Structures are given as structure tokens and as C-alpha cells.
Amino acid sequence: MKNSTQLVCLTACLLAWQGIAAPVNTIPHLEKQGTATQLVVDGKPFMALSAELNNSSASSLEYMKPLWPKLVATHLNTVLATVSWELIEPQEGKFDFRLVDGLLQQARANDLHLVLLWFGSWKNGRSTYQPLWVKDHQEHFPLACNSDGKSLPILTTFSDANRDADARAFAALMRHLREVDGRKHTVLMIQVENEVGTLDDSRDRSPAANEAFVRPVPGDLMDHLVQHKDTFAPELLKAWATNGFKTSGTWEEVFGPGKPASVQLYGPDLTDDKKDIYWRQLNWASDEFFMAWRYSMYVNKVAAAGKAEYDIPMYVNSWLQQPGCPRPGEYPSGGPVPQVHDIWRFGAPAMDILSPDLYIPQFAETCARYTRNGNPLFIPESEAGVRGAANAIYAFGAGNAIGFSPFGADRFAGSDMELARAYDFLSSVSPLILANQGKGTMTAVLLDATNATQTFQLGNYKIEAKFWVAPPWMKATNALPERIAGLFIATGPDDYIVMGRNLAVYFTSATNENESVGVGMDEEGVYENGRWVPGRRLNGDEVYEWRALHFRSDRYSIQHVKLYRYR
Ligand code: DGJ
């Protein structure tokens, strides 16, 4: 044994003997478990059952006071709240953190965690949260331009002054958080900026941007692309392949033409019938890739300056490409949408997570596009209600999510029973879900009346999950949910824990097709303090001739099933 190893062992033994735990990395951080990445808080994996406040709520502690009990009643454990640059640095270099401190105090008093959203240079593509001393001095803090040479209300990424001023303010915030929260860990993560990217044109056309656009793609990016080609997202590869996988050249030479000057955004050029076809495609890839490179490098500098002060997990969120507005500039061009993740990962190594603001109907597909190449799933904005409840369960079960957070908590907190019930339920099952993330023993489905069946394999069984309309004698309610989730955990070779509502589940053998599968034992139950507490033993009508599990139609519930085989 080497001397240093002996010393570590000796210290650990002494600490253990004295009843003192060995020092661990106690600030919130990310850790791998199998294929998943988990958020670890105070030494334990954590599922952030969250909601995001409206943009202006956290600017007033008085406004927040009556909201906290409603947030607690929604069974959240985490609240996403804005910290804006203009409010913490009203005068250049003079910081005021009273609001941040008040927010921390209020969250702690309600036993809630926070994820803070840094509204710095950009919010929804535009620049509105920078202090007046920045807004008013465009000669020093320049704006992006459109193709008419007009300024856009967007700080340009082609300015070190913009970037450095933002990074200084963000670093001051993170330094302050380390001082006031480095031991208590109320703040779990930070969102850096909000939905970055250029709106109203497909790229910045300021003189500095135009000059960079006709220069070769930077060598370090080009080398990275060449070396990592095998693992890239298919969208990026397609744009590159279409132009012959060139290894040098200008952005347009390598990735194809940008937006022609004649094409109007949001205009008649894209007819309604084309909007749906175009939304999963790349349009003007060179413009979008160019902007992704610029935004990722800028955001990286800001994030790295903050991490140098207090290194907790950070993410950037994206305004997704939408069926109605499918072209860059109609959604923020250069933001971390799936087709440019590979550029973002290289341009912004300080960023831990690339996140979707997920309002589009293609929830499962988007989760899949955001977990390619091991990107951890954190959904900072989404819907609440019945769809939100189903989406949350799906995200944690199928996407190994770190957190889920519907937007607009001021409106729904305390009154959204669907979300509150789902969060209460998820919180009771969270030890089991967290224990199974990344191990291949858990999955989930999303179903509705039109996409009513899904079949998959988990462990030794093929499972068919069906959206189920209960017969009259079993219905608890006539109302049918618009969307439901089913979550499946293989707890043994013939043992499953299943969660769902309006769900029927059929099992067949995945190991021997000559064997039939029966339900040996099925019990409903709950988890209390991580322990399974059985309720009704389900049989007869509730198991439909021993063939399938059926779940209540009024709310999510859990069943533990043991299967057996016969020939
Ligand atoms: C997306 C933004 O990121 C949020 O800050 C908020 O403005 C919502 N849109 C409003 O729907």
C-alpha cells in the first residue's frame, strides 16, 4: 500500500472511531448513477418537484408572502425564481443582495429549495433585464443588428464588454450565494440567462458579426467536429454531410447557405402547409450554428465566472423550434436546441445541463432528444394540470430527470390538484425512483386516447400498457384525463412496482414464448418513509381474470405485482 493511501485510510478510521463522518462534497452537485446523472443534495440524490414563478414575482418579497403557503400546498420541494441583473447591480459595481437574501429566508421558512434564474444579458432572446447603465450606453454595450442594418433590442455576442459586465455581476451573485448559502444549500442550481438566441433574424448582422461569418469556421471547433463526428446529433451531421463533410471553409461553405436576404421571417414565404414539415428540419443551418457557437462561448464565460466563486450545477434553457415558427429567428437562433447540442457542449463546457422549455405536444420525443449523449434531463418550464402530472411522472421514470417544473406557479399554486397530487405521490415514491434511475430497471410511458397502447420489454417480461376506460361498475369518475403516464420498475425477476391511472397492463414472457404469464399476486399500496405499506389485495374484476393490472380512474396509484408462468 502506498504511503498516501495508508494516510487516507488511517484518517478515515480515526474519524469513524470518533463518530465523525469523513468529509464529503456537500454542496449541491451532479453525480452519475449508471446511465443517469443525479442531483445530489446534502449527500443524497434529489428529485426536484418544482414550479417556476412568473417572471416578476421574486422582485417583491411582499408579493411573495401570500404565495409561499400555496407553493407548499402544491407539494413542491423546489421553486424556480428570477434574480435580475438590473435589481442586483442598479449602479455599475454596486451590488444589492437584499432581495436575494429575503427570498432565501422566505424559502427556508417554508422548507423549500430554490433554483435561481439569472436574467442577465438575455431573456427570451431579447435583452430587457440588463441595468439601465447598460441599456443607455450602447456605444459601450452594443446591440445585434438585422439585415436592414437596424439595431435589435438584443445585446450582441460580439462584444467582450457585454460579456464581461454580465460575468462580473453573475460572479458577484455566486460569491454572495457561497457566503450566505454555502452551508445551508437552499439554492440547488442556477439557470444562466433565459432562452438565449437571436430573434427576428436568423443571425446577428452587426458589422462584427458579418465579418466573422465570412471568415473560416474557427479551427478548434472544426477539429472538434472532425474528431467527434461519430457521436453527433443526426441533424448536425446531415447539414454537414449535405455539404460534403468539408473540414475547412466559411460557415456557409461547410454548413450550407444562410437565410437569403429576400426571405421574410414569420411571413408569406413559409405557408401553413410547410410549417409542420419544416419544424424538425434544419433551416439556414450555417446561421444557426454560427449563433450557437457565439452564444455558447459567451454563456460559458458568464457561467465559468460564477462557478469560480461557487460551483453548483448550472444549466441553460431553450425556446424550442415550434411547428408554427420553425425557422431560426422565429425561435431564438443559436439557443441550445437539440440540433446544436454538440456545438453547445464544446462551446460551453462550464454548462452542466442543456434544458428544454417543453410546451410542445411532442413531450416524449423532446425528452429523448435532450438525453442524447448523456445530457441530464431538467425541464425548467412546462405545463401544469393533468398533462403536467403525466409529463412529470414520465420525465422521472423514462428520462431519469433531475427535475420538472411547470411555468407560472403564481397562477396554479394551491389550486392545481392534479399537479399537487402527482407531486405528493412522486415524493412518496422518490426513494425507489432515485434508486432505479440509470440502471435499466425502470421505464415509463405516456398515453392518451389516440396514442393508446405501447409495448416494451423490461426485465424478463414484455409489457403492453394501454390507456384504459373503466367499465361503469369500476369507474370512480366519468372524466377521462387528456394524458396519463405509467411508470414501471422491475424489482425482481418476476416482481414489478407499477404506477399509473386509467391504465391496463398486460405481461407476456420475454424469455420463453411457450410460457403463459399469470398474475400471482397483486396488491395496491403506498410508500411511507420509503417503506411499502400494502392496501387492498386486488383480485377478480380488478385484475380481469388474472390477466392484467388495472389502475384507478380518478388518481395515480401504485400496485406491486408478482408474476408466475404456466404452460
Ligand atoms: C418562456 C419564458 O422562458 C418564460 O420566462 C416566460 O416568459 C414564459 N415563456 C411565458 O409563457
Side-chain angles (χ1 to χ4, degrees), residues 52 55 119 123-124 194-195 317 357 359 381 407:
E52 183 169 326
N55 299 152
F119 281 17
K123 149 84 172 81
N124 299 21
N194 188 78
E195 295 188 347
N317 61 331
D357 287 350
Y359 299 97
E381 291 185 38
F407 177 83

Side-chain angles (χ1 to χ4, degrees), residues 109-130:
N110 288 281
D111 212 10
L112 285 165
H113 285 285
L114 293 169
V115 168
L116 296 180
L117 318 179
W118 171 241
F119 281 17
S121 294
W122 302 289
K123 149 84 172 81
N124 299 21
R126 303 205 169 83
S127 300
T128 53
Y129 281 83
Q130 72 275 42

Side-chain angles (χ1 to χ4, degrees), residues 292-336:
W293 177 237
R294 294 304 307 185
Y295 278 103
S296 61
M297 288 195 304
Y298 186 121
V299 171
N300 188 58
K301 280 270 182 186
V302 175
K307 283 197 156 191
E309 299 294 342
Y310 187 39
D311 188 2
I312 59 174
M314 296 192 185
Y315 69 91
V316 265
N317 61 331
S318 33
W319 169 335
L320 296 174
Q321 192 181 21
Q322 316 268 333
C325 295
R327 302 177 300 188
E330 293 170 339
Y331 65 94
S333 175

Side-chain angles (χ1 to χ4, degrees), residues 195-214:
E195 295 188 347
V196 302
T198 299
L199 273 180
D200 300 332
D201 207 334
S202 55
R203 69 170 175 85
D204 184 353
R205 291 165 206 273
S206 60
N210 284 341
E211 200 192 306
F213 191 64
V214 294

Side-chain angles (χ1 to χ4, degrees), residues 87-304:
L87 291 179
I88 68 154
E89 196 184 6
Q91 278 178 276
E92 190 167 5
K94 297 225 159 49
F95 292 96
D96 180 347
F97 293 114
R98 280 174 299 176
L99 203 51
V100 176
D101 293 343
L103 198 62
L104 260 70
Q105 243 168 32
Q106 291 186 339
R108 284 174 190 159
N110 288 281
D111 212 10
L112 285 165
H113 285 285
L114 293 169
V115 168
L116 296 180
L117 318 179
W118 171 241
F119 281 17
S121 294
W122 302 289
K123 149 84 172 81
N124 299 21
R126 303 205 169 83
S127 300
T128 53
Y129 281 83
Q130 72 275 42
L132 201 53
W133 55 265
V134 175
K135 284 182 184 142
D136 252 1
H137 287 93
Q138 289 151 37
E139 70 293 349
H140 193 60
F141 301 110
L143 302 176
C145 291
N146 68 12
S147 46
D148 299 334
K150 282 206 171 134
S151 292
L152 294 165
I154 299 172
L155 287 167
T156 178
T157 57
F158 288 86
S159 157
D160 291 356
N162 291 352
R163 184 198 64 198
D164 295 346
D166 187 337
R168 264 194 305 275
F170 184 61
L173 170 66
M174 295 309 292
R175 185 159 51 244
H176 183 73
L177 285 181
R178 187 194 61 216
E179 284 160 7
V180 298
D181 198 45
R183 298 173 79 84
K184 293 201 167 151
H185 315 141
T186 300
V187 179
L188 303 181
M189 302 204 289
I190 305 286
Q191 176 184 298
V192 186
E193 316 292 347
N194 188 78
E195 295 188 347
V196 302
T198 299
L199 273 180
D200 300 332
D201 207 334
S202 55
R203 69 170 175 85
D204 184 353
R205 291 165 206 273
S206 60
N210 284 341
E211 200 192 306
F213 191 64
V214 294
R215 280 204 299 262
V217 175
D220 50 349
L221 175 62
M222 207 65 253
D223 289 348
H224 175 78
L225 294 178
V226 171
Q227 280 160 23
H228 296 86
K229 193 167 150 191
D230 293 347
T231 60
F232 284 155
E235 303 92 333
L236 185 147
L237 276 183
K238 192 171 164 199
W240 193 12
T242 308
N243 295 286
F245 281 127
K246 291 201 182 75
T247 55
S248 63
T250 65
W251 291 86
E252 287 192 300
E253 283 164 358
V254 178
F255 299 117
K259 177 173 90 64
S262 59
V263 174
Q264 296 296 308
L265 285 177
Y266 314 103
D269 296 302
L270 193 57
T271 51
D272 278 347
D273 58 321
K274 276 193 188 158
K275 283 181 178 170
D276 266 356
I277 305 167
Y278 271 47
W279 86 269
R280 279 187 187 82
Q281 289 186 8
L282 280 183
N283 301 285
W284 314 318
S286 53
D287 292 351
E288 187 170 28
F289 291 5
F290 173 68
M291 291 318 302
W293 177 237
R294 294 304 307 185
Y295 278 103
S296 61
M297 288 195 304
Y298 186 121
V299 171
N300 188 58
K301 280 270 182 186
V302 175

Side-chain angles (χ1 to χ4, degrees), residues 442-466:
M442 176 171 68
T443 192
V445 293
L446 275 181
L447 301 171
D448 55 40
T450 48
N451 169 32
T453 305
Q454 272 190 51
T455 309
F456 55 91
Q457 183 178 339
L458 184 67
N460 296 330
Y461 291 86
K462 266 191 249 155
I463 300 176
E464 186 177 42
K466 288 190 167 176

